[in-house]
């Protein structure tokens, strides 16, 4: 125990040496690069005005599941801003994050939300309008790997929920199997799949975050892509937490906690909305509401029994997703 305390004190001293800015590492999921590049300077300035302390916030991005595993393997994240509550639950199960992490911040530690939509090419040549269209033979689907990313797990569950509602629970598994039979490339995260679809020109439809689809339309030549909202999708709630074990070692608990609370302020909520994530602040949502399409959303808790149940049934090694992949590869 004494060795651990000495090591932690030494690491904290290196992390915030005298006269230097305090480093804060945000380990996040794929599409949030631009979001935090804009939020970080705002918080750094606010923190300096409040405390006089210089902060230097670093970012790390990748598939949400892969990012969670990197923290489990020793990535020195002060905060995690991941696509799934389940990814943070895994850190809590290993003692890196407090078990009650969701209750420590406003809005159940979900400062914004999103959903899953379809991005298609000009004119929508394959006539893709709903989930039933993406399982048709000859439709090339691009979506990331549910074993490594957050968006693909939301996508998988959105498809499962649609199939259960439309055809009945007994037929949902085969519907999802047919969807993944059409997947041409399984990238590790949402941004990689966007690159495959947009820059490499593969596939007829990209199943992705709403914010990624809106960003793609904004950045592309006019009319190059169209967003298709299916009849129903899922309420996707990315979650945030500070990593208790690491902030204790680094001496960064105060700025890490303040940083995550800052995400719920009107200033940060404006940045969130401008980056096409749906803000929690009602006034900001009204201001930017025109860019978000009304869509029926079901939830992970009500429709699937929560993330722990979903993880154990679908995404563990040998779970339903692995079984589907094995069947498609026969």
């Amino acid at each position: 125990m004494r060795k651990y305390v000495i090591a932690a004190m030494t690491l904290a001293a290196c992390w915030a040496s005298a006269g230097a800015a305090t480093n804060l590492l945000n380990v996040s999921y794929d599409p949030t690069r631009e979001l935090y590049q804009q939020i970080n300077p705002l918080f750094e300035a606010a923190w300096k005005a409040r405390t006089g302390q210089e902060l230097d916030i670093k970012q790390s991005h990748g598939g949400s599941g892969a990012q969670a595993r990197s923290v489990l393997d020793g990535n020195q994240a002060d905060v995690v801003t991941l696509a799934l509550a389940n990814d943070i639950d895994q850190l809590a199960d290993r003692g890196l994050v407090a078990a009650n992490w969701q209750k420590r911040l406003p809005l159940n530690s979900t400062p914004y939300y999103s959903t899953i939509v379809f991005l298609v090419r000009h004119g929508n040549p394959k006539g893709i309008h709903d989930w039933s269209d993406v399982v048709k033979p000859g439709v090339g689907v691009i979506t990331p790997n549910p074993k490594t990313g957050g968006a693909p797990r939301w996508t998988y569950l959105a498809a499962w929920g649609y199939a259960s509602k439309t055809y009945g629970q007994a037929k949902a598994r085969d519907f999802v199997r047919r969807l993944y039979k059409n997947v041409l490339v399984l990238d590790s995260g949402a941004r990689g799949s966007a690159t495959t679809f947009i820059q490499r020109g593969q596939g007829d439809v990209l199943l992705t975050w709403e914010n990624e689809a809106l960003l793609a339309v904004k950045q592309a030549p006019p009319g190059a892509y169209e967003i298709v909202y299916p009849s129903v999708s899922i309420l996707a709630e990315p979650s945030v937490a500070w990593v208790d074990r690491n902030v204790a070692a680094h001496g960064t608990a105060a700025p890490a906690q303040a940083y995550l609370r800052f995400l719920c302020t009107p200033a940060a909520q404006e940045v969130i909305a401008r980056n096409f994530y749906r803000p929690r602040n009602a006034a900001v949502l009204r201001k930017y509401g025109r860019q978000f399409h009304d869509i029926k959303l079901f939830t992970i808790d009500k429709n699937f029994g929560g993330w722990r149940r979903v993880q154990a049934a679908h995404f563990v090694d040998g779970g339903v997703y692995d079984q589907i992949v094995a069947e498609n590869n026969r």
Side-chain angles (χ1 to χ4, degrees), residues 102-124:
Q102 281 187 300
K103 303 304 179 185
R104 300 190 301 185
L105 291 167
L107 306 169
N108 213 35
S109 296
T110 58
Y112 61 86
Y113 64 104
S114 189
T115 190
I116 300 298
V117 301
F118 308 159
L119 186 69
V120 298
R121 304 190 188 282
H122 174 71
N124 193 4

Side-chain angles (χ1 to χ4, degrees), residues 165-317:
K165 177 177 179 291
T166 307
Y167 306 112
Q169 182 67 27
K171 296 184 178 180
R173 187 183 188 282
D174 185 64
F175 182 90
V176 174
R177 182 195 62 77
R178 287 189 287 141
L179 187 158
Y180 283 92
K181 188 73 172 178
N182 281 353
V183 174
L184 303 179
V185 180
L186 281 171
D187 291 289
S188 62
R191 188 55 59 88
S193 284
T195 298
T196 296
F197 183 76
I198 295 168
Q199 297 183 16
R200 297 174 186 164
Q202 297 191 42
D204 302 302
V205 58
L206 173 67
L207 311 184
T208 191
W209 295 107
E210 178 185 44
N211 55 280
E212 283 289 274
L214 287 166
L215 180 64
V217 169
K218 176 184 176 182
Q219 293 180 339
Y225 302 102
E226 301 172 19
I227 298 175
V228 173
Y229 282 85
S231 60
V232 66
S233 194
I234 194 163
L235 174 65
E237 298 181 296
S239 300
V240 304
W242 63 85
V243 184
D244 296 76
R245 184 180 296 178
N246 291 347
V247 298
H250 303 158
T252 53
Q257 293 171 25
Y259 176 60
L260 296 183
R261 292 183 186 279
F262 181 76
L263 298 178
C264 294
T265 64
Q269 291 281 296
E270 284 266 348
V271 177
I272 284 166
R274 289 199 298 269
N275 282 271
F276 305 118
Y277 302 89
R278 298 192 181 210
R280 295 292 193 178
N281 182 287
V284 176
L285 182 58
R286 284 194 298 270
K287 180 179 177 180
Y288 291 87
R290 290 182 181 179
Q291 69 189 21
F292 301 118
H293 185 86
D294 287 337
I295 182 173
K296 293 180 180 178
L297 302 175
F298 51 83
T299 71
I300 190 74
D301 291 331
K302 181 178 179 180
N303 296 84
F304 292 94
W307 267 114
R308 288 190 180 276
R309 183 174 178 180
V310 167
Q311 175 69 17
H314 292 271
F315 301 124
V316 295
D317 290 344

